[in-house]
Structures are given as C-alpha cells and as structure tokens.
Amino acid sequence: MPSRTRRRSLWSILMALTLVALLTACGGSSSSGGTNSGTGASVTGPKNALVRCPSNTNTTAASPETGQIHLVVAGWSSTPAEDALVKQGLQNFEKLHPNVSVTWTPIPGDYATKMRANVASGNVPDVFYLQPPMAQEYIPAGKLLNLSPYMARDHVSPSTYYPSLMQDFDCADGTIFGIPKDWNSLGLFYNKTLFQQAGLGDPSNWTWDDLKNAAQKLTKRGSSPANSVYGIALPADASRWGAFLFANGGQMVSADGKQAVFNSQAGIQAAEFYTSFEQNHTGVMPGDVGASWDGDAFGKQQVAMTLEGGWMIPFLAQNYPKVQYGIAPLPIGPSGKRGNLLYTNAWAAYSGTKYPDMAWELIKYMTGAEYQTQVLHDGFALPTLTSLANDSYFQQNPGVKVLQDGAAYGQPDFYGVADTEIHNDVSNALQSIMLGKQSAADALNASAQKVNTWIQQNVAP
C-alpha cells in the first residue's frame, strides 16, 4: 500500500455525533438478530475510556443458523494482490461451510462516508471493515454486534490478540465490537549505501542524539534541494510525530479523552526535536525535493532516512528495486524508552444482521491462525495474533520483525472523539514550527486550546 498515512477517514466528528443521535432516534440500538442461546457469559478486552458503550446491545451469543445462508461482506479495495487474498480467504470460508455463500462487495472511494450512508438507510453489510473512528461512531449507537459473548462461547480469549490493537474496538467497560484484521507500525528506513558512504553503522540502538548527528553526516547539500541529499524526511504529520511524543513520556489526550495534553513540556521538547531537522536543513519535507511523499523521497535517494511502515516494502520493491535499505527500531527518547504508533482496522458485524452466528464465524476465521498466517506470508501487513510473533517468516525478513516488535511499545494512532481535530491541529502546528512562524510552545498551546474548545462544545461532560 503506497500510502504514508493510516487508513483513517477524515470525516467531521461533529457530523458523526449528529449521526449517532439520528441512528438512536431511528431505533439503531438493537440486539442481534436470531435466537439467543448463549449462557450470558462474556469476555472483555482493554477498557477503552475513549469510546462510550451502547445502552442496549446483545449480551448472549445467538444460536447457529441453519439452511442456506448468504453473507454480504464489505471493505475497501486495495491492491489487486491484496484483494485476491481477501477473496481467497472468503472462498476458503465457504468451503468450510457448504451452506454459506459470501458476496464480497468492496466499496470504492470514500469508504467511511459511503458506509455512513448505508447505516443511515439500514442497508448494511453483514460483515465489514471497521476503522477506529467508525468504532467511535457505531459502538455507542448500537450498530455493531457485541462479539464478547461469542468469544466467550468459543473460548477465543482477547489475549489472543495484541491488547494495543484491540483497544480501538472496545468500549469503556471492555465489551468487544471488532477484532483487528491486520496492522502496521513505524520503523526507521535507512539507505545502506548512503550510510556506508557516511561511515555510519547499524542504527538499531540509536538515541535521539544519534539520529540528529547521523542526519548531519548524511546531508550533502547541492545548489538546490533537487540536487541535494538530506539526512531524513519528516513530514508535518501528527501520525509520525506522535511516536516522538510517546518516546518522550508525553500523551496526546488525558486518560478520559476529554482534554488535549500534547502541549506538555514533554510535547514541546518532542516538537522542538522533530522540527529541528527541517530548521537546520538536515531534514526536508518531501515536496521540497519534488517527491509526492517521504517514501517517494527515500526511493529517489534524496533522503537517507524516513519513518514509515510495512507498506514501504512493496512500494520500494515495485518502484525503486535497486535501493539497498534496512529497517531499524525508532530511536530511544530522552526518557530511555522508544515510542511507536500502531495503525489497524477491524472486522466487525452489523447488529441487525440476519445471521449473527455465521457473521461471527466469518470474523473468527478471517482473524484466525490460518488466514492471519497467509496475511503475513503474502507480505501485506502484520498478523494480529500474538501466537505468530515467532513465525519463521520473521527470521527470513528481519526488517518485518522490527515492525512486529513495535507492538510492544506502540500506542494506537487514535484519540477518541476529538481524533480528527487532534490530527489536523497538531499537523498544522508542526508545519507552523517548521516554517518558523511559531515556537513549539506557542504552536502546541494554540493547537491544544482549539482542540479543547472543540471538545467543550461538542462532547457532553
């Protein structure tokens, strides 16, 4: 996936809250279809204070459906190879369940907006991809099947999956409404040829100071940015800077999600460091060297380092196969710890599906060992199962193992109800600092004030 950002829709949360009210008014809160037969037992995942639980949801697992069953499954279309993998997975599921037919209906264009329209009209697929901001919207409205009783019935423990990935799809009491379908984290991609020319070794144990010194050594400035080589490309992007914030001991929002706290002293220090490369000309924004994104600048070998995820691997193989590169963990911050950002989406089911049990069976298969192993070995993304952490694929692909290890110290790139405002305002603040328009403290304070005003005006106390 040659994209440098997570799969995150940039819709307005204000519109989302309006939709929640509309869905509830239309009877959106519902128990699952089918006859409940479960024991009422349930399991819970990480308690996500940033997502409100629904007032009414199924609390037991439905009985297995009989007869011919047809499931409609939706998501977005990615690369042809990844689309083929999804189709193969669904076909394998059909073979395991001869009475089930599955129709894959990828939604082109703005997935979140089109799904919102589908939900408002009641024309919802049985099973579908769920982005973290969608969970914020759909869970409180009761539009998702509660998976906790199904997991309890089938002995699928939440600990089967990385907790930091589950968090995006749980609500405040830990009830589970989605299971992560795959994920990715950030790594330090470095050009081995340029490193050798600069006399630099393996950056796996670098600190922030090491990164700064290396960027200076790697920078070879010509008569213009277009014929220069820079140490690193760092975009003005909250979905990159957050890793430095966490490494420095900071947080984006308070524990209850109701206050921006990224303008702490830790945040100001992280912003000063992150933007220093642009300011001292050892880093560059991709557009300054004629690149469409920092991965493209790295492929053109106009920057020696960048921070990206696993999507860089197929992108470089397809577009810049001659570039010799390695992947290292992100550098250690002044706190003595690393930080990282985790990007994921989930499989979820509609609460109003006619076939809740079979919908769960499909989710269980697509997040189970057989399919997740195929996801890993086909190189599209990382598997969500902790049991695959030592799969032989990682021994053959140590760079991918670096990304996998990011789960241990990464945090979701999702910040609850003000997620969109935080990403937009923090990114604007970083750009303002890079352009020399504001100090880090002034830019982050102004951004935090905007976010907090939005929260006060749009979120009930």
Side-chain angles (χ1 to χ4, degrees):
M1 181 182 69
S3 170
R4 62 188 172 89
T5 62
R6 64 183 188 156
R7 290 164 170 166
R8 179 175 61 85
S9 297
L10 298 179
W11 72 69
S12 164
I13 295 297
L14 178 59
M15 290 299 294
L17 294 175
T18 302
L19 176 63
V20 168
L22 174 62
L23 295 171
T24 303
C26 293
S29 180
S30 64
S31 298
S32 66
T35 303
N36 290 336
S37 66
T39 62
S42 188
V43 297
T44 58
K47 295 181 178 180
N48 185 356
L50 304 182
V51 178
R52 183 167 55 85
C53 296
S55 58
N56 183 22
T57 186
N58 62 291
T59 56
T60 59
S63 301
E65 297 91 14
T66 58
Q68 290 299 311
I69 296 171
H70 180 230
L71 294 178
V72 176
V73 180
W76 49 79
S77 182
S78 182
T79 63
E82 185 172 0
D83 288 349
L85 178 64
V86 174
K87 290 178 182 177
Q88 184 62 56
L90 297 177
Q91 290 170 0
N92 291 342
F93 178 78
E94 288 179 318
K95 292 177 182 176
L96 294 171
H97 301 83
N99 64 324
V100 178
S101 61
V102 177
T103 299
W104 167 242
T105 57
I107 297 175
D110 188 339
Y111 177 78
T113 297
K114 292 180 179 178
M115 276 295 297
R116 185 186 298 122
N118 290 340
V119 170
S121 67
N123 182 27
V124 188
D126 298 286
V127 179
F128 53 91
Y129 289 177
L130 181 72
Q131 298 166 326
M134 293 170 69
Q136 173 77 49
E137 182 178 342
Y138 293 173
I139 290 175
K143 304 310 294 184
L144 300 180
L145 184 68
N146 176 1
L147 302 181
S148 288
Y150 293 89
M151 297 174 70
R153 184 194 69 186
D154 293 354
H155 307 291
V156 178
S157 171
S159 63
T160 301
Y161 311 94
Y162 292 102
S164 48
L165 302 179
M166 291 290 289
Q167 185 176 329
D168 284 352
F169 312 106
D170 292 2
C171 65
D173 66 6
T175 302
I176 299 166
F177 292 90
I179 295 181
K181 72 180 190 67
D182 53 33
W183 66 286
N184 242 304
S185 69
L186 294 174
L188 176 68
F189 283 72
Y190 63 98
N191 186 307
K192 289 185 175 179
T193 304
L194 296 176
F195 262 51
Q196 186 176 21
Q197 292 173 356
L200 294 170
D202 185 348
S204 294
N205 293 311
W206 277 5
T207 64
W208 282 15
D209 285 341
D210 294 327
L211 183 69
K212 183 176 182 178
N213 293 334
Q216 291 175 340
K217 288 185 177 179
L218 290 160
T219 298
K220 307 294 181 186
R221 298 187 65 189
S223 57
S224 69
N227 58 20
S228 301
V229 175
Y230 293 87
I232 191 167
L234 291 175
D237 187 355
S239 291
R240 297 293 177 276
W241 173 70
F244 289 82
L245 172 68
F246 299 148
N248 204 33
Q251 290 293 326
M252 283 285 193
V253 293
S254 57
D256 61 4
K258 295 183 178 179
Q259 185 176 7
V261 295
F262 53 74
N263 59 329
S264 62
Q265 189 56 41
I268 293 169
Q269 185 181 15
E272 288 174 341
F273 177 77
Y274 187 88
T275 59
S276 67
F277 298 91
E278 174 73 14
Q279 292 175 331
N280 64 24
H281 307 295
T282 60
V284 66
M285 286 192 273
D288 293 338
V289 292
S292 57
W293 62 296
D294 52 314
D296 190 36
F298 183 83
K300 293 176 184 294
Q301 303 197 69
Q302 291 197 272
V303 300
M305 300 181 288
T306 193
L307 308 181
E308 286 297 336
W311 51 85
M312 273 281 281
I313 298 171
F315 172 77
L316 292 172
Q318 180 176 354
N319 298 285
Y320 302 102
K322 295 183 179 179
V323 175
Q324 298 296 311
Y325 69 91
I327 307 173
L330 302 193
I332 300 167
S335 69
K337 298 179 180 178
R338 301 185 194 275
N340 209 325
L341 294 172
L342 309 181
Y343 313 94
T344 189
N345 297 290
W347 284 105
Y350 179 41
S351 60
T353 176
K354 290 174 59 179
Y355 308 110
D357 183 72
M358 195 54 70
W360 155 247
E361 290 293 334
L362 178 62
I363 292 172
K364 185 170 66 173
Y365 176 78
M366 298 299 280
T367 58
E370 180 177 318
Y371 184 73
Q372 287 293 305
T373 300
Q374 195 63 48
V375 168
L376 173 63
H377 285 230
D378 279 16
F380 295 115
L382 296 167
T384 59
L385 295 170
T386 58
S387 59
L388 294 178
N390 296 315
D391 189 273
S392 60
Y393 181 87
F394 292 117
Q395 297 173 8
Q396 300 157 10
N397 299 273
V400 181
K401 176 63 174 173
V402 168
L403 299 175
Q404 175 82 8
D405 290 344
Y409 58 92
Q411 299 187 37
D413 187 34
F414 174 63
Y415 310 108
V417 67
D419 183 70
T420 299
E421 282 64 33
I422 288 172
H423 278 89
N424 290 343
D425 289 334
V426 168
S427 295
N428 290 338
L430 293 172
Q431 181 151 13
S432 180
I433 301 167
M434 288 180 177
L435 294 175
K437 294 181 177 179
Q438 287 180 293
S439 68
D442 288 346
L444 291 185
N445 284 334
S447 178
Q449 184 174 0
K450 288 180 64 178
V451 171
N452 288 332
T453 298
W454 187 94
I455 292 174
Q456 291 168 7
Q457 293 175 345
N458 295 281
V459 180

